[in-house]
Amino acid sequence: MSNNGNLRGGAGLIDVHTHLLPSWYTSRLGEQGMVTIGGRSLQEPDLQWTPERALDYKDRCGIETSILSFTDPGASIGPREFSVALARECNEYLARLKQDHPTRFGAFAVLPLPHVDEALAELEYALDTLKLDGLVLLSNYQGIYPGDERFDPLFAELSRRKLPTFIHPGLPQYDLPLPYYPWIMEFVFDTTRAAANMVLSGTMDRHPGIPIILSHGGGTLPYLSFRLKSADMIHGFNLERDVLEYLKDYYYDTTFSAATFPIATMLELVETDHILFGSDYPFGPGWLTEHSVKDLAENSRLSDADRALIHRGSAEKLFPQFGQ
């Protein structure tokens, strides 16, 4: 795989959607009886994550900086005490990675939700002491979605800090109706639920100015945008703005979404300064990053300036610490 992500005098990609699965973390999940993630065994060779393997992948793919996040379940597993301890362990590990590789790794803090008081305490520590770069939230916590009023104290703090917040799908709280890996359909549906609920619940009115990044091109949100606008017109959610304005405020990553058809819906909804590059490593195979860069390069709707924004410029605005 070539270093085909390089732009602007050698500046590589900024990847906002990339994960880590250190062996100690998978052991913690195993203590709670969890042996798969997204239907995949944690023992799969491709999921045996180390910093060295991640750096090698990044070098081969032209990725300069990866903003790491723990995927579902994050620290939201087991009893309250276990979840709180796991969040602290995860965040301190992320801080060490950042310290060891300050230009190569950024980090989204993880919280022991749905325990809001404990989450607020961990957020303060992760940001003010560990100096992590933002926050990852799952699309639901035991069936409680962002936008639920129980999470209002957390969103008030995110609004106060104007903190970049990455929304990653989790498994929905129902038996999957079809026998396919949940990442194929269920993950994008659950991201859509979270994003829609944050708007329609009035959360974005009560707690404005949070830079929110949606995984996988926003799930199905761009395609369903007119339906959501119509829902407000029919039911009347007493929002302060047109629904489409909230959807344009979101940021959208390109993970599994850089191909011609999915990115076309994003480009109809938002400008390229709200589209960010994502790889989904190690769950996304190596060819995905190569294919994504190729799709972006060959898309006739994108100018070189557009590609520069998607590759890193849009991320630099949210994370100036990784700018050139």
Side-chain angles (χ1 to χ4, degrees), residues 162-198:
K162 301 297 184 281
L163 185 69
T165 300
F166 177 52
I167 305 293
H168 191 278
L171 284 173
Q173 298 297 298
Y174 54 76
D175 292 333
L176 303 185
L178 294 173
Y180 305 117
Y181 287 123
W183 65 266
I184 298 175
M185 289 178 282
E186 302 303 327
F187 278 1
V188 294
F189 297 155
D190 219 58
T191 297
T192 304
R193 293 186 187 100
N197 195 48
M198 286 188 288

Side-chain angles (χ1 to χ4, degrees), residues 78-86:
R80 183 190 305 252
E81 296 77 10
F82 182 91
S83 178
V84 169
L86 181 58

Side-chain angles (χ1 to χ4, degrees), residues 73-113:
S76 297
I77 187 172
R80 183 190 305 252
E81 296 77 10
F82 182 91
S83 178
V84 169
L86 181 58
R88 178 60 54 91
E89 191 172 13
C90 288
N91 290 329
E92 290 185 337
Y93 182 76
L94 287 167
R96 290 195 296 273
L97 286 175
K98 277 175 55 67
Q99 184 176 23
D100 292 343
H101 307 280
T103 65
R104 306 306 308 278
F105 290 132
F108 289 115
V110 64
L111 302 180
L113 289 167

Side-chain angles (χ1 to χ4, degrees), residues 11-31:
L13 299 162
I14 296 178
D15 180 1
V16 302
H17 187 154
T18 183
H19 302 301
L20 69 164
L21 284 170
S23 58
W24 63 262
Y25 177 72
T26 58
S27 295
R28 297 289 182 274
L29 299 185
E31 292 172 18

Side-chain angles (χ1 to χ4, degrees), residues 114-127:
H115 313 297
V116 174
D117 290 342
E118 291 85 348
L120 285 168
E122 184 60 28
L123 181 67
E124 181 180 11
Y125 177 75
L127 298 179

